Amino acid sequence: MSHPSADPRVNAAVARGAGVDVADPACASILEIGCGTGHHLLSLANRWREASCTGLDVSARGIARARLLARRAGMANVRFCEVSVLEFEGEEKGYDFIISHGVFSWVADEVKVGLLDFIGKNLAPGGVAAVSFNVAAGWKARMAVVEKVRAIALAGDTDEVTALEVFLTVAEEGEKEIAADMLAKGAEVLAFDDFAPVMDAWSLGAVVKLAEASGLRWLGDSVFGEKGNDEEDVREGRTFRSELFCRADAEIVERKQPAKGAAFQQRAVPDFPKLDEWRLVCAQEALPLVDTDLKPCVFTFPQLKLLAKMDGTHSAARLAMDAKEIAPELDFVGWLRHVTERGMFE
Ligand SMILES: C[S@@+](CC[C@H](N)C(=O)[O-])C[C@H]1O[C@@H](n2cnc3c(N)ncnc32)[C@H](O)[C@@H]1O
């Protein structure tokens, strides 16, 4: 998946607001730790062909798939390494942006420590890192449900989703909502989220303390820059955070006034819609296509079929005819306008 909270363009705006003179992501060095099959990093490498992107993960399957997708999309500015963060030799000049999304809470404590330690040692002087984790405040009640569901699965020798369905029929008030929310995630997400072998939720305070011990300075939320706290998280039952860090010795410059905002970009629907190579691969592989803000857009299979034809050789009028057969329910013109406005086309 792509992760808008770990979008270097957004993270850079937060960092500049906090006085860190961070590099322009368009030509920066970007490292993603725990990149999985590479969807997030590939979307970044596709957006910024001058950026140098590196993804690492211990999963041989994940890295093989990431490499394959990169090859198919013809991306030369991204490389993938099958290695643990505990063993990875970073580049000497460090990285302008480090991303670690959905990793901290899913690894053993020694890897958590090693991860933050690596970031502390491998950020460039003005570099920033976006690190996400599950928050204990909101996960306490969920973990109690997970325990009960695991007990049902064990007793009934069944899988966790079936056990969750059984649990839903006997759940008490408060638990029902959590169980329903879990079911809505689907088996695949649940397997590496709620029911992952390691799913360790921490408090913001504890993560910041560990990061500071690794030579990092906390800048706030990676999207909004605000500095929340544990009490607030408990009050709101917060389950997830993505936080931004720079080096403790990074120079903090006086906050510059932001430039006057550029005019909102109006986009005209193209006569010959053309997705770039990466988005075409996503359409063919039924992966989410990211919009200009890196937000994943989920399409139906008929819509993906139409998107897979959008290589610049078919006119919008021709595609509208195809849509009548492929997706008769679809308001093609309105949909094409929407896709255009989300910045999908070259
Ligand atoms: C929950 S998945 C998240 C994947 C991806 N970042 C995302 O958010 O969609 C956690 C990832 O961390 C990787 N991982 C676990 N331990 C690691 C380690 N020691 N070094 C590098 N990656 C690791 C796993 O293989 C897995 O791909």
Side-chain angles (χ1 to χ4, degrees):
M1 293 294 286
S2 63
H3 308 295
S5 62
D7 177 349
R9 191 175 59 171
V10 174
N11 303 156
V14 171
R16 288 196 195 104
V20 180
D21 197 12
V22 73
D24 175 359
C27 48
S29 55
I30 303 173
L31 172 74
E32 184 175 6
I33 301 170
C35 63
T37 54
H39 188 271
H40 183 68
L41 192 65
L42 285 163
S43 299
L44 298 177
N46 184 51
R47 188 204 261 164
W48 298 309
R49 293 297 173 122
E50 301 298 313
S52 149
C53 302
T54 306
L56 69 93
D57 202 294
V58 275
S59 162
R61 246 179 86 211
I63 292 298
R65 173 105 172 118
R67 285 182 181 147
L68 180 74
L69 292 171
R71 238 190 342 267
R72 278 185 55 189
M75 274 187 236
N77 59 333
V78 61
R79 72 183 183 113
F80 291 100
C81 312
E82 184 197 325
V83 64
S84 165
V85 65
L86 302 180
E87 278 139 36
F88 184 64
E89 288 277 331
E91 279 170 24
E92 212 173 302
K93 60 185 174 46
Y95 298 91
D96 301 313
F97 295 91
I98 297 183
I99 294 162
S100 167
H101 186 281
V103 179
F104 188 91
S105 290
W106 285 271
V107 291
D109 285 352
E110 73 198 60
V111 184
K112 289 182 178 69
V113 173
L115 172 73
L116 293 180
D117 194 52
F118 176 91
I119 295 173
K121 293 195 171 97
N122 288 275
L123 271 179
V128 289
V131 178
S132 80
F133 54 95
N134 282 352
V135 177
W139 273 87
K140 218 167 145 203
R142 285 185 96 84
M143 288 321 284
V145 170
V146 167
E147 291 309 314
K148 289 183 184 179
V149 172
R150 280 204 167 123
I152 294 174
L154 198 66
D157 192 21
T158 180
D159 65 276
E160 279 143 350
V161 173
T162 310
L164 191 52
E165 281 161 353
V166 173
F167 176 74
L168 198 55
T169 63
V170 294
E172 296 183 0
E173 231 23 73
E175 291 178 332
K176 271 203 173 73
E177 216 176 56
I178 295 172
D181 181 64
M182 282 163 72
L183 265 179
K185 289 187 185 180
E188 210 180 319
V189 174
L190 281 173
F192 71 80
D193 200 358
D194 306 52
F195 293 119
V198 181
M199 212 310 293
D200 197 12
W202 276 36
S203 70
L204 170 65
V207 173
V208 168
K209 205 163 155 202
L210 185 60
E212 284 172 351
S214 305
L216 293 166
R217 179 203 301 260
W218 175 45
L219 297 173
D221 180 278
S222 71
V223 176
F224 303 107
E226 71 201 3
K227 289 198 160 175
N229 58 57
D230 293 343
E231 291 73 35
E232 229 173 77
D233 287 354
V234 170
R235 254 197 325 274
E236 291 168 10
R238 190 157 175 165
T239 53
F240 176 81
R241 277 190 169 277
S242 174
E243 302 296 313
L244 198 65
F245 299 90
C246 68
R247 275 169 43 165
D249 62 358
E251 195 187 342
I252 304 291
V253 291
E254 208 182 311
R255 192 174 178 278
K256 292 180 193 131
Q257 281 301 316
K260 287 254 177 286
F264 179 72
Q265 208 183 337
Q266 301 274 356
R267 294 187 173 90
V269 176
D271 293 335
F272 287 80
K274 184 171 190 294
L275 295 170
D276 57 40
E277 292 294 316
W278 167 235
R279 289 190 171 97
L280 270 180
V281 168
C282 289
Q284 290 157 2
E285 291 289 318
L287 292 169
L289 279 79
V290 297
D291 70 6
T292 185
D293 294 321
L294 226 67
K295 295 208 173 84
C297 313
V298 180
F299 295 106
T300 61
F301 282 110
Q303 288 169 346
L304 286 170
K305 225 167 153 186
L306 287 169
L307 285 162
K309 286 173 176 266
M310 296 187 184
D311 57 2
T313 63
H314 301 271
S315 69
R318 174 66 221 247
L319 290 162
M321 308 259 286
D322 293 344
K324 281 193 182 135
E325 273 188 26
I326 297 173
E329 310 277 296
L330 183 69
D331 162 19
F332 179 77
V333 174
W335 176 71
L336 189 63
R337 194 179 317 116
H338 172 76
V339 174
T340 304
E341 277 162 9
R342 292 190 70 172
M344 295 282 199
F345 298 121
E346 286 197 323

